[in-house]
C-alpha cells in the first residue's frame, strides 16, 4: 500500500531543500577574513566602533569595497580580496616623526614604510584603531574619511602637534 504525502508537506519539503541548497551555495562564496584580535579588542569603545563601521567603502579609484566577515573581535575588512583591514584595540602610538593628519577631528599617524600599503593608526585615542589600506586598490584618503566618523566615538585624549599636511598631500 502506498502512503500518500499531502501536497502541503511536499511543498514545505521542497521549499526547505531549496533554502538549504541556497544557504550551502552562498556559504562558501566569501569566507571570513582571518585576522588577529588586538590586545584591547574587548574594550567597550571598540564595540562602539565596530557597530558603526560602514557596510561599503567607496574606493575613489575603482569599485566599491563591500564589508567582509572577519574571524576576530573588533575587526573589519572590506573588498574581495580584502584591500582594507581594521583592528580596534591596538596599542596607542607614542611620539613619532611619521606624518600625522587630522580627518574629521580624528588624528591618524601614517606609516608609509610598505608603500603602496599604508598603515593608519589613530593618535590620541585609547584604545587605538589601526587601518591597513592597499592604496593600489582603494584610496587611503577615501577610506580614512569614511572610517573617521566610526572611530570618533573613542574619546580623544591628545592630538598630533603637526597636522598641517592634508591627507591628500600625505599619501598622494
Amino acid at each position: 500500500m502506498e502512503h500518500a504525502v499531502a501536497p502541503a508537506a511536499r511543498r514545505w519539503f521542497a521549499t526547505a531543500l531549496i533554502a538549504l541548497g541556497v544557504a550551502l551555495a552562498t556559504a562558501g562564496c566569501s569566507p571570513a577574513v582571518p585576522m588577529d584580535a588586538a590586545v584591547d579588542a574587548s574594550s567597550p569603545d571598540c564595540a562602539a566602533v565596530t557597530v558603526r563601521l560602514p557596510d561599503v567603502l567607496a574606493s575613489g579609484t575603482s569599485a566599491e569595497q563591500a564589508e567582509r566577515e572577519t574571524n576576530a573581535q573588533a575587526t573589519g575588512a572590506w573588498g574581495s580580496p580584502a584591500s582594507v583591514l581594521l583592528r580596534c584595540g591596538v596599542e596607542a602610538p607614542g611620539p613619532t616623526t611619521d606624518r600625522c593628519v587630522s580627518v574629521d577631528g580624528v588624528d591618524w599617524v601614517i606609516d608609509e614604510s610598505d608603500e603602496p600599503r599604508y598603515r593608519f593608526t589613530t593618535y590620541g585615542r585609547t584604545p587605538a584603531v589601526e587601518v591597513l589600506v592597499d592604496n593600489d586598490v582603494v584610496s587611503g584618503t577615501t577610506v580614512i574619511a569614511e572610517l573617521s566618523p566610526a572611530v570618533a566615538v573613542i574619546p580623544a585624549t591628545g592630538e598630533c602637534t603637526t597636522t598641517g599636511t592634508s591627507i591628500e598631500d600625505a599619501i598622494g
Side-chain angles (χ1 to χ4, degrees), residues 93-116:
T96 181
T97 57
D98 288 341
R99 287 186 182 168
C100 186
V101 296
S102 185
V103 179
D104 296 330
V106 177
D107 288 354
W108 297 91
V109 173
I110 306 170
D111 178 350
E112 303 170 277
S113 64
D114 194 24
E115 188 178 344

Side-chain angles (χ1 to χ4, degrees), residues 59-79:
S59 71
T61 58
S62 61
E64 292 181 334
Q65 305 296 304
E67 186 176 26
R68 300 267 309 274
E69 181 180 341
T70 63
N71 67 348
Q73 182 176 2
T75 59
W78 294 264

Side-chain angles (χ1 to χ4, degrees), residues 14 17 114 126 134:
L17 280 177
D114 194 24
T126 303
D134 183 344

Side-chain angles (χ1 to χ4, degrees), residues 71-163:
N71 67 348
Q73 182 176 2
T75 59
W78 294 264
S80 185
S83 58
V84 178
L85 302 172
L86 176 145
R87 290 188 327 144
C88 183
V90 300
E91 185 176 335
T96 181
T97 57
D98 288 341
R99 287 186 182 168
C100 186
V101 296
S102 185
V103 179
D104 296 330
V106 177
D107 288 354
W108 297 91
V109 173
I110 306 170
D111 178 350
E112 303 170 277
S113 64
D114 194 24
E115 188 178 344
R117 289 171 204 83
Y118 295 102
R119 178 185 315 268
F120 298 86
T121 307
T122 56
Y123 188 84
R125 293 172 193 270
T126 303
V129 174
E130 169 187 80
V131 179
L132 302 173
V133 178
D134 183 344
N135 209 51
D136 278 344
V137 176
V138 61
S139 164
T141 303
T142 302
V143 167
I144 294 308
E146 291 185 23
L147 293 176
S148 287
V151 172
V153 301
I154 299 175
T157 58
E159 60 185 25
C160 292
T161 57
T162 56
T163 58

